[in-house]
Amino acid sequence: MSAVVDLSVDGDIGVLTINSPPVNALSAAVRDGLAAGVAAAVADPAVKAIVLHCAGRTFIAGADISEFGGAMKGASLPAVQAAMEDCPKPIIAAIHGTALGGGLEVALTCHYRVAVPSAKLGLPEVKLGLLPGAGGTQRLPRLVGPEQALKMVTSGTPISAKAALASGLIDEIAPEDGLLEAAKAFARRPNLALVKVRDKQDKVEAARATAPEMFAQFRKDNARAMRGFEAPEANIKCIEAAVNLSFDEGMKVERDLFVPLMMGLQSKAQRYVFFAERQANKVEGLPADAAPLTIGSVGIIGAGTMGGGIAMNFLNAGVPVTIVEMKQEALDRGVATIRKNYENTAAKGRMTAADVEARMGLLTPTLDMEELSAADLVIEAVFETMEIKRDVFGKLDRIAKPGAILASNTSYLNVDEIADVTSRPGSVLGLHFFSPANVMRLLEVVRGAKTEPAVLATAMATAKKIGKVAVVAGVCHGFIGNRMLSSRQAEAMKLIVEGATPEQVDRVLYDFGWPMGPFQMSDLAGLDIGWSAEKSKGETIRDRLCEAGLRGQKNGRGFYDYDAQRNRTPSPVATQIILDYAAEKGVNRREVGDEEILERCLYPMVNEGALILAEGMAQRASDIDIVWINGYGWPVYRGGPMFWADSVGLAKVAERLTHYGYEVAPLLARLAAEEKSFTGQF
Ligand code: 3HC
Ligand code: NAI
């Protein structure tokens, strides 16, 4: 009957099976198939009840995001849902994998829902800058109550089958490998009523009296996380409507708020990011036989800030880690930090004491590098000095087993120079984690000149396994992220000499959507990173701040002074150092406007991004955006620097760069002249 939806009849049960890989998204073909399938099941007198389930790895994972923004074809989703909800025969959704977005909304128009224990159910639209636009905001609170619905639609985080059963979202949990049979048995229960979620009133009515305070409190508690985003507030308004209005009125509110989000720039950016993230994991030109190697154990050299965080990623994924230090004291300190991090997580209730011990049990601390001889992958995270790294890799080359992958976490250094001290440069690459390495999602995978395809493929697969978003970068100073960061930091320093203040620059970038501005970031990282008193020439502002004993947050003194609660106020010492520096350089300080600050901090990054792209140091513009969103806090609703520049218009970006005295990168100049974009989105 349809290439993607099949109706089979088992006795008195009609089984509708959606088979549209990879995730059974609600494409036009699936919607048409569902409409026809339901009609056929209704028309078949033998069919008394209907089970809706999906083939492959998951129940419907949502609307087909690739259709958004274009003209809709085929049956409309609301029409299909109405046919299901009003169906004279009970429909039971049989859920495995993930029932997300439009997928859960379809399940909510079924009369009952049965799910396997491993299933996850949620409305993740907010992550795409949207709200559930197929009745999800009106039906979900009617089943689980407004308070839980509010959490689900604003976070987008799915819940487990167990939680779904407890909250009333599903009616039964089926055995993991007996879903279809359990759903059929459910469908055969005598006198199954045609339960319509839309008619359920008890939970929304019960919440009405206390709703104003509940919503006010929720907005207050989540203001920081929702800052700058349009979609969360629209989602909240829909749940408010579910509580205060009739179902039909609530549906109208949902529709009215959905359309502007769908047409808006934020959702366009967030949808782009969804696909960009998946694209990033694909490496151009990798031969098909570049099969990933198995990583069953990992070695880490250096148990400092990065080594410890990197270790946690693998321990969390159940991979044993051997961690090596030079001195017992450093080793003990590193291991204690890892344990403390886990214990803090346990104290917040997000892990059990047994989990902590299980993870620590996978960790082998040692002072003997020889113990890395069995590791499949070794990651070096020692001091950022070429001689030291080459020394470590020389030793490692003698110890590591044949075929082991040898990686450096270097921030800036030339990975090829490191690889060349080994007898196996094909097994060497950069794995650049971001701090804190157990938290930040980004991993820059630095492909050396000789890195073998299978080694690269393994790095990408390993990244996915430990929950990272990996982006391939070429060998250049600072790779993608830090290279672009340097251009922003340099301009921020110039701005404070010319007359802007650190807090003005920070405010402008914070208001743009960054979690913090460049000077707050410098203070947080430590002003003395890579600085030494012996080598300081007192030439830069940074040298002078360090010489004056300003180290940033760690000693409460930096561009800002910090109190015990880390509240900050502009530092008079730093201010004087900046003023003296400007005077010495003969700079006539002036008032600098906010717009100039934004343009001068961000457009040079875009310019550098264009160079990186043209040099082939990034595979594609969207990879650069993924780096900035996941590694540095670029606001996701602005789509990353390259998408954002496209949205501004490249002609304008080029013109402003010229205005500020920059040489416009040839790729940027060409695209601007041809009225094209980096990402193809504009
Ligand atoms: N539409 C179109 N394509 C989708 C899709 C969707 N909803 N969900 C996943 N895909 C594609 C991915 O792009 C990827 O394609 P590729 O192989 O060509 O790169 C492929 O399916 C597999 O996806 P993943 O690599 O992400 O597979 P995982 O197994 O890791 O994850 C998943 C599966 C949890 C379902 C994850 O893909 C996901 O979270 N998908 C998005 C779910 C979502 O946001 N749904 C809501 C959509 S909006 C909506 O429904 C609006 C409605 O309210 C009207
Ligand atoms: P760190 O100073 O905190 O830790 C380095 C550790 O390596 C020290 O504990 C030291 O004792 C140990 N070590 C040095 N030589 C060793 C050897 N030969 N054998 C065993 N252990 C040895 O430094 P951090 O911050 O962890 O940086 C490590 C690397 O990660 C550097 O290359 C740095 O550029 C990079 N990096 C740092 C980031 C950060 O934000 N701190 C971010 C991303 C990368």
Side-chain angles (χ1 to χ4, degrees):
M1 50 173 285
S2 148
V4 290
V5 182
D6 176 63
L7 173 65
S8 62
V9 179
D10 175 8
D12 52 354
I13 307 296
V15 178
L16 276 173
T17 307
I18 303 178
N19 187 2
S20 181
V23 295
N24 295 310
L26 288 161
S27 61
V30 170
R31 296 194 303 272
D32 284 342
L34 259 181
V38 171
V42 171
D44 186 339
V47 170
K48 297 282 177 284
I50 302 163
V51 169
L52 171 65
H53 89 132
C54 291
R57 66 212 239 205
T58 179
F59 191 76
I60 307 167
D64 186 338
I65 306 167
S66 60
E67 280 184 356
F68 291 2
M72 280 296 213
K73 295 193 204 100
S76 84
L77 187 53
V80 177
Q81 289 176 293
M84 293 174 67
E85 197 166 46
D86 297 336
C87 177
K89 301 174 182 179
I91 307 182
I92 291 88
I95 299 171
H96 75 293
T98 46
L100 299 178
L104 181 58
E105 291 173 298
V106 164
L108 286 167
T109 52
C110 294
H111 306 101
Y112 300 94
R113 285 149 297 279
V114 172
V116 293
S118 61
K120 296 242 186 292
L121 303 92
L123 293 173
E125 284 85 345
V126 72
K127 294 185 181 165
L128 299 169
L130 294 171
L131 53 84
T137 66
Q138 303 307 299
R139 289 192 182 88
L140 185 67
R142 284 176 160 76
L143 277 185
V144 306
E147 204 155 355
Q148 178 160 359
L150 203 47
K151 280 192 205 137
M152 287 175 71
V153 296
T154 54
S155 71
T157 310
I159 61 171
S160 66
K162 194 170 156 207
L165 183 69
S167 62
L169 180 52
I170 61 173
D171 302 284
E172 190 180 272
I173 294 191
E176 196 65 58
D177 50 7
L179 175 62
L180 197 52
E181 287 315 308
K184 284 185 203 165
F186 196 106
R188 288 195 175 104
R189 286 186 192 177
N191 306 320
L192 264 190
L194 292 166
V195 180
K196 293 184 189 180
V197 176
R198 58 179 290 157
D199 294 338
K200 287 185 173 271
Q201 294 302 338
D202 52 330
K203 288 194 176 172
V204 284
E205 273 171 8
R208 205 162 287 162
T210 53
E213 300 84 69
M214 195 250 291
F215 286 108
Q217 190 63 41
F218 188 84
R219 284 188 169 95
K220 198 164 150 242
D221 292 346
N222 294 282
R224 220 177 114 205
M226 301 186 315
R227 181 177 71 96
F229 288 90
E230 289 161 4
E233 176 57 25
N235 273 280
I236 297 174
K237 286 207 172 85
C238 287
I239 305 294
E240 268 178 327
V243 173
N244 296 318
L245 305 175
S246 71
F247 180 80
D248 288 332
E249 288 166 329
M251 286 296 281
K252 183 169 178 333
V253 170
E254 185 188 272
R255 214 166 26 251
D256 289 349
L257 291 172
F258 181 80
V259 176
L261 289 180
M262 175 65 104
M263 307 307 272
L265 193 53
Q266 290 202 350
S267 176
K268 186 179 168 79
Q270 288 178 262
R271 281 166 1 229
Y272 157 81
V273 171
F274 175 85
F275 288 114
E277 203 174 297
R278 281 150 184 84
Q279 180 83 357
N281 205 263
K282 300 183 174 108
V283 185
E284 303 293 346
L286 265 198
D289 61 355
L293 315 167
T294 307
I295 302 298
S297 63
V298 170
I300 292 173
I301 311 178
T305 311
M306 295 306 290
I310 295 169
M312 290 175 73
N313 286 292
F314 291 97
L315 301 175
N316 294 345
V319 179
V321 172
T322 301
I323 192 160
V324 187
E325 258 294 344
M326 289 188 298
K327 297 212 175 84
Q328 190 65 42
E329 195 196 341
L331 187 61
D332 292 346
R333 203 179 326 118
V335 172
T337 305
I338 296 175
R339 175 173 280 282
K340 198 172 107 237
N341 282 335
Y342 281 137
E343 282 171 354
N344 287 345
T345 308
K348 288 184 199 139
R350 287 194 264 123
M351 185 185 269
T352 64
D355 291 335
V356 176
E357 295 316 318
R359 283 168 208 206
M360 293 308 292
L362 289 172
L363 182 67
T364 309
T366 177
L367 297 177
D368 184 3
M369 230 170 118
E370 298 288 338
E371 288 195 37
L372 299 179
S373 62
D376 296 316
L377 163 69
V378 180
I379 304 172
E380 163 278 311
V382 305
F383 304 129
E384 182 77 349
T385 311
M386 183 54 90
E387 299 79 70
I388 301 181
K389 298 226 190 250
R390 279 171 66 95
D391 179 54
V392 167
F393 271 77
K395 286 188 188 133
L396 188 57
D397 188 33
R398 289 190 289 279
I399 294 169
K401 69 180 182 188
I405 297 179
L406 313 183
S408 173
N409 182 48
T410 179
S411 310
Y412 290 95
L413 299 175
N414 186 319
V415 172
D416 292 332
E417 282 179 35
I418 298 174
D420 280 344
V421 297
T422 72
S423 61
R424 43 175 137 179
S427 296
V428 178
L429 82 176
L431 288 181
H432 184 212
F433 289 79
F434 286 69
S435 180
N438 53 321
V439 178
M440 299 300 284
R441 287 184 75 215
L442 180 65
L443 180 65
E444 277 183 331
V445 175
V446 187
R447 178 183 204 165
K450 296 179 186 154
T451 306
E452 281 160 14
V455 171
L456 195 60
T458 308
M460 301 311 277
T462 304
K464 206 166 177 193
K465 184 168 172 191
I466 60 173
K468 299 288 177 200
V469 185
V471 171
V472 178
V475 175
C476 59
H477 188 70
F479 317 120
I480 298 173
N482 282 343
R483 178 168 160 186
M484 287 167 71
L485 179 68
S486 303
S487 52
R488 187 190 82 178
Q489 298 300 88
E491 204 60 38
M493 289 308 278
K494 278 194 223 157
L495 283 161
I496 58 170
V497 176
E498 288 174 37
T501 60
E503 60 275 25
Q504 186 192 3
V505 175
D506 284 347
R507 174 181 51 73
V508 169
L509 291 183
Y510 179 81
D511 287 348
F512 179 80
W514 296 87
M516 64 180 82
F519 298 101
Q520 283 171 272
M521 198 189 88
S522 300
D523 274 359
L524 183 65
L527 296 176
D528 56 348
I529 280 207
W531 178 86
S532 79
E534 302 78 51
K535 290 191 195 140
S536 176
K537 299 198 183 87
E539 271 174 3
T540 63
I541 289 181
R542 201 267 288 255
D543 283 347
R544 294 177 190 190
L545 294 172
C546 287
E547 283 173 8
L550 275 58
R551 294 284 183 273
Q553 271 202 28
K554 61 179 140 184
N555 75 344
R557 306 175 66 210
F559 287 101
Y560 301 92
D561 286 331
Y562 297 85
D563 67 15
Q565 282 72 46
R566 296 209 205 157
N567 297 312
R568 62 199 154 83
T569 43
S571 155
V573 179
T575 305
Q576 196 55 51
I577 288 174
I578 296 164
L579 290 176
D580 292 347
Y581 182 91
E584 201 182 296
K585 301 280 171 195
V587 175
N588 259 334
R589 283 174 62 87
R590 63 186 167 93
E591 226 172 83
V592 182
D594 288 356
E595 196 179 342
E596 178 176 344
I597 291 176
L598 195 70
E599 292 184 336
R600 283 180 55 188
C601 285
L602 301 190
Y603 291 162
M605 287 176 56
V606 173
N607 207 34
E608 196 65 42
L611 292 175
I612 287 173
L613 205 53
E615 290 166 20
M617 294 297 150
Q619 297 192 84
R620 35 184 107 83
S622 61
D623 280 11
I624 298 178
D625 288 333
I626 292 304
V627 164
W628 276 87
I629 289 165
N630 293 289
Y632 300 85
W634 180 288
V636 61
Y637 56 80
R638 294 192 197 272
M642 309 313 272
F643 178 97
W644 175 72
D646 284 348
S647 75
V648 169
L650 296 187
K652 176 173 178 192
V653 175
E655 182 271 311
R656 297 313 285 163
L657 280 165
T658 309
H659 171 84
Y660 293 120
Y662 272 85
E663 189 181 330
V664 178
L667 174 64
L668 171 52
R670 178 170 65 73
L671 292 174
E674 294 173 359
E675 294 184 12
K676 290 196 177 138
S677 66
F678 289 118
T679 62
Q681 297 284 316
F682 292 89

